[in-house]
Amino acid sequence: MRDVKFLKATSIGEAITFLDEYRGQAQLIAGGTDVLVQLREEEKTISSPLCLVDVFDIMDMRAIQEEGDLIRIGSMVTHTEIAESAFLNQAVPFLSLACSQVGGPQIRNRGTVGGNIVNASPAADSVPVLIALDAMVHLRSNKGKREVPLSAFFVGPYKTSIDEGELLTEITFKRLPEGSKTNFVKVGRRRALSISRMNLAVSMHCDAQGHVDDMRFAAGSVMPRPRRIKEIESLFLGKTATPELLQKAKEEIGEVMVRESGIRKSTIYKKPVIGDITYSAIESLK
Amino acid sequence: MTDYKYIGKRIQRKDAKAKVTGKALYAEDMYFQDMLIGKVLRSAHPHARIKGIDISKAQALPGVVCVLTAKDVQGTNRYGLAVSDQEVLVEKKARYCGDAIASVAAETEEIALEALRLIDVDYEVLPAVSSIEQAFSPESPLVHERLESNVLQKTKVRKGDADKAFLEADIILENTFTTQCVEHAYMERECSVAVCDCDGALTVWEPCQYPVRSRRQIAKALGLKFSQVRVIQSTTGGAFGSKDDITTSIHAAMLSLNTKRPVKYAMEREESIATSSKRHPFRMECKLGATKEGKLVALKADIFGDTGAYSSLGIYVVKKAGLHISGPYEIPNVHVDTYTLYTNNVMSGAFRGFGVPQAHVAIEIQMDILARKIGMSPIDLRLLNCLRAGTTTTATSHCIPHSVGIDQTLEKVKPYYDEWKAEGGLSR
Amino acid sequence: MITIKMRVNGKQVCETIKDNMTLVAFLRDTLRLTGTKKGCGVGECGACTVLVDGLAVDSCLLLAAQVDGKSVTTIEGLGSINQLDPIQEAFVETGGVQCGYCTPGMVMSAKAMLEKNNKPSRDEIKKALSGNLCRCTGYTKIVQAVELAAEKMVQDE
Ligand SMILES: Cc1cc2nc3c(=O)[nH]c(=O)nc-3n(C[C@H](O)[C@H](O)[C@H](O)COP(=O)(O)OP(=O)(O)OC[C@H]3O[C@@H](n4cnc5c(N)ncnc54)[C@H](O)[C@@H]3O)c2cc1C
Ligand code: FES
Ligand code: FES
């Protein structure tokens, strides 16, 4: 285990002050479910000082709120809290569903949505849903505030555009059109406590004639940077989700994956599987 | 049914209450005054000559009490369950990535780990033997120079005349099966605590399967009298065969002898997986002959088991597979050769089933293929050929007078199987 | 070094420790509460499960300092050998204990769930235990033990 200096921040202001004071050595820690694993790995190599700033208990970053048609989730809200929130289960069921499938209960009780985002694993389960929702991330530092679309926040696997000294305080997104149907599907190596090999989030809304008028689709672990997959969405807009369209989506998603990630050893497995889960996830929305 | 005292009754484990309350003492739960923490440096290469080890920086680290290498071993420095082919600390060359090169005892775990980082090993990396095929290749190096090849054992099993019987078979299946290395993954990581008293007698607590055998190996390897070593099996958090091998005890013992202080050596999970013995990876080349009615007439098989860098129980595990490759079936003509091979892979040893699960992969898949070929129900095919009271076993040709359960078991399963099949079976 | 205070099994403790000490190491090495086990150290096995403010967490994935000011319950905080907690009793009676290494973690995960839900379905039990591995039992008897524990706890009320 790497040597650290531990500081507990009790407010956003205090956290920012710590980040400033220990610039170059500071790292934020939320639930610690990613950080602890990394610290343990680093044991063998690094001996430079590291200052951990614990932000888990900052109450201002722990709330789930509704403001008109805007939903705000504090970055320190845990996966358990999102999975169990009656409000979120009703408003954005696929977000609750995704968070309910992160790790096991012990991981969900500590792991936060903010940590999930900033860790920026391509397999992060909350991310495809938040991408589908066009979520914004809110950042604070001693220079002030900034707001970034989540899709622009990721610059590559395990890399975000967060600055040293910046704190992710909350995530916001607009409510889905009333009556939207959503789903989240995850494929891992086993059913419980497994990292997604692939995951996807989908939301669909149909007008009175049964034609799709709002469609959101995002997938994890199949492209270098997560984004809404317009290639799939546009197939459905203005139409009804017929088996022929589903079949088309199934083929298209594989093509998109290969185009962006190239052919890899896993492609032979991933291509048919991402196709199948795309088909069944969208089919389940009817 | 007879009213037995235990059979058919729910018996409460004697230690269940201690375990549910967290009071049961596993080795890692033991603490002694002045106890040191032991750690072991493992080889960075699967096959490498050790040209030199510089421990001076590690020794100089405050809090390090001793750093040991092969030259500090007072006894034979050899141990092993079937063959004494393992070294407590390797002297000339490392034979797999888990080989122990040096050990450290320090005041804290952190210091012990830091000391390992400060040990400089000068390796001359050698080409490694990493598969069964390579083990046989004349170009491959020898894993153990005491042998002329990498074949550790070869055993023949013969019954009747297989070659002749194949001539009369209506159907012959020839297939090759491979199975992989499997980790036991017991929940308790390996850990031992050794305490050395003032007259040099050792007490070692370890989770194990066979304390007397550990005791014998520790004494001989470290140059102690049998009477100077006491091994106590601590509550064991799962073993499944792998804790039959010496794991941490020999290092804890040696460190305690050299420091005259209690030493605890616990592996982290990574070290446990890298060093503990595994289920043998197998390659089985099989030929099965039958009549068109499904009666088995002959079996021929070459079985190769990769025992890794050291034998452990690999001699017997692979041999046993040869005795079981005919499955629970009566086959009049059998011709089997088994080979245990040394490679530079992690050591394989005992694991639940002891070579039999691998053999059953081969024979049972062959039976299913045969059933499909002749259009017979796989259950009926098995019922036609299975051992029954009065038949003889393949390997030992023992007549089994009673107590063969497979026919009755299959008869009981049959209606369920038939129903499942009628409903569409696999294609359902 | 850092000084931390917390309630452990109802008792206030205050210790000065290294900042990077994990909660599992703190409980075992400092407080000598060795009932909590470390199977992997990386959140995969659940053997180290304890309750922090009533929630099940992996004590290997937390620094002791992160728990400063909170309340921790370990297996030692449930019953004792002479007076088992209903969950512990159920594990003993059902045969949900073999080597026992996973048991404290399993019991703590069960405890966390049963405190919130005393009539769990089999699926809810499986979900509550999904962060805990057992290599001996095959889980069937463990799930049965939790079912029995739920019955016992309802009866006790
Ligand atoms: C056994 C196991 C299973 C897991 N399974 C899954 C799974 O199924 N799906 C999944 O998506 N993830 C999984 N994870 C990963 C992890 O649990 C999640 O990513 C979790 O959401 C991380 O949150 P945290 O609060 O623990 O983050 P931490 O570990 O505390 O932090 C993660 C990163 O975020 C940074 N950070 C934290 N808070 C802030 C902030 N407020 N502002 C800026 N930066 C911040 C930290 O500096 C760090 O770089 C698993 C992890 C383990 C150990
Ligand atoms: S030791 Fe904590 S989860 Fe395995
Ligand atoms: S009883 Fe041995 S691991 Fe569960």
Side-chain angles (χ1 to χ4, degrees), chain B residues 364-384:
Chain B
E364 296 301 345
I365 294 177
Q366 292 275 66
M367 291 298 274
D368 284 344
I369 297 173
L370 179 61
R372 199 170 299 173
K373 270 233 154 102
I374 60 175
M376 193 172 180
S377 143
I379 296 229
D380 292 336
L381 176 68
R382 285 170 169 86
L383 274 169
L384 178 67

Side-chain angles (χ1 to χ4, degrees), chain A residues 59-87:
Chain A
M59 292 321 281
D60 285 345
M61 308 203 298
R62 299 204 55 99
I64 299 170
Q65 287 164 300
E66 197 186 355
E67 244 182 52
D69 67 347
L70 197 69
I71 294 173
R72 304 169 39 167
I73 301 180
S75 63
M76 295 299 99
V77 173
T78 64
H79 295 295
T80 298
E81 287 161 351
I82 294 178
E84 290 178 356
S85 154
F87 166 61

Side-chain angles (χ1 to χ4, degrees), chain A:
Chain A
M1 179 75 71
R2 189 167 168 189
D3 255 328
V4 298
K5 179 177 172 64
F6 184 89
L7 296 166
K8 192 167 208 112
T10 50
S11 67
I12 293 176
E14 195 181 8
I16 291 169
T17 311
F18 282 146
L19 287 178
D20 220 34
E21 198 174 321
Y22 293 92
R23 191 163 272 271
Q25 309 174 4
Q27 181 177 9
L28 292 165
I29 180 167
T33 58
D34 282 317
V35 170
L36 263 279
V37 175
Q38 288 151 13
L39 286 181
R40 186 174 177 278
E41 282 291 302
E42 282 167 5
E43 146 180 278
K44 287 119 206 163
T45 47
I46 306 172
S47 50
S48 64
L50 180 76
C51 182
L52 288 181
V53 179
D54 182 355
V55 290
F56 188 77
D57 291 315
I58 299 178
M59 292 321 281
D60 285 345
M61 308 203 298
R62 299 204 55 99
I64 299 170
Q65 287 164 300
E66 197 186 355
E67 244 182 52
D69 67 347
L70 197 69
I71 294 173
R72 304 169 39 167
I73 301 180
S75 63
M76 295 299 99
V77 173
T78 64
H79 295 295
T80 298
E81 287 161 351
I82 294 178
E84 290 178 356
S85 154
F87 166 61
L88 293 178
N89 268 291
Q90 178 272 319
V92 275
F94 62 163
L95 182 60
S96 298
L97 186 60
C99 292
S100 77
Q101 291 179 41
V102 169
Q106 296 95 321
I107 300 292
R108 293 193 288 274
N109 284 338
R110 285 297 302 185
T112 61
V113 62
N116 202 214
I117 291 172
V118 178
N119 189 57
S121 157
D125 286 319
S126 71
V127 168
V129 181
L130 294 171
I131 290 279
L133 288 166
D134 291 330
M136 303 290 290
V137 293
H138 297 247
L139 303 159
R140 288 269 290 272
S141 70
N142 66 349
K143 293 196 208 94
K145 297 185 181 182
R146 84 185 162 110
E147 234 178 274
V148 189
L150 182 60
S151 54
F153 188 56
F154 295 112
V155 295
Y158 302 99
K159 280 205 187 77
T160 68
S161 61
I162 197 162
D163 278 336
E164 218 187 321
E166 254 180 341
L167 178 68
L168 167 61
T169 54
E170 65 173 353
I171 300 108
T172 59
F173 49 83
K174 288 226 178 73
R175 263 182 183 276
L176 291 169
E178 196 62 40
S180 293
K181 299 258 175 67
T182 72
N183 203 352
F184 171 83
V185 179
K186 159 171 179 171
V187 181
R189 286 207 159 89
R190 61 188 187 99
R191 261 187 289 167
L193 201 75
S194 68
I195 302 295
S196 290
R197 298 224 54 207
M198 281 167 277
N199 55 16
L200 63 82
V202 57
S203 157
M204 192 163 89
H205 185 270
C206 299
D207 63 16
Q209 284 73 48
H211 296 148
V212 177
D213 60 3
D214 184 78
M215 174 88 182
R216 294 139 185 276
F217 187 94
S221 292
V222 293
M223 37 189 66
R225 278 176 55 186
R227 62 168 173 87
R228 276 179 68 174
I229 304 175
K230 304 274 180 193
E231 294 90 325
I232 301 292
E233 296 175 358
S234 60
L235 286 176
F236 293 88
L237 283 175
K239 307 198 186 101
T240 46
T242 57
E244 294 72 46
L245 268 185
L246 289 169
Q247 187 59 34
K248 248 193 177 151
K250 172 176 170 167
E251 285 154 23
E252 181 60 24
I253 185 71
E255 296 307 317
V256 173
M257 177 178 88
V258 170
R259 221 161 35 234
E260 297 206 8
S261 302
I263 302 261
R264 305 189 183 181
K265 258 201 232 147
S266 58
T267 307
I268 188 170
Y269 160 74
K270 282 193 163 183
K271 205 174 157 189
V273 176
I274 190 76
D276 278 352
I277 62 175
T278 298
Y279 190 105
S280 57
I282 304 176
E283 193 189 29
S284 75
L285 302 178
K286 283 194 279 187

Side-chain angles (χ1 to χ4, degrees), chain C residues 8 13 38 42 44 53 59 69-70 80 116 130 154-156:
Chain C
V8 179
V13 300
K38 187 175 98 175
V42 288
E44 296 286 347
D53 292 342
S59 59
K70 300 185 195 278
S80 63
K116 283 203 247 170
S130 64
V154 171
Q155 275 166 17
D156 283 357

Side-chain angles (χ1 to χ4, degrees), chain B residues 8-84:
Chain B
K9 297 275 157 58
R10 176 164 278 167
I11 307 298
Q12 208 179 70
R13 286 185 72 94
K14 283 211 155 67
D15 56 6
K17 286 186 177 179
K19 285 173 171 172
V20 290
T21 49
K23 288 285 178 269
L25 271 194
Y26 298 82
E28 205 176 6
D29 301 338
M30 302 177 71
Y31 293 80
F32 287 87
Q33 189 121 44
D34 286 334
M35 188 172 79
L36 297 169
I37 298 298
K39 286 283 166 193
V40 172
L41 181 70
R42 303 286 173 178
S43 172
H45 304 282
H47 201 191
R49 213 175 300 290
I50 311 289
K51 296 204 295 185
I53 309 175
D54 181 359
I55 57 170
S56 57
K57 274 184 276 172
Q59 276 174 320
L61 186 72
V64 171
V65 181
C66 81
V67 183
L68 304 173
T69 62
K71 55 182 195 310
D72 302 302
V73 186
Q74 302 289 318
T76 61
N77 194 16
R78 293 287 187 286
Y79 67 100
L81 287 180
V83 188
S84 284

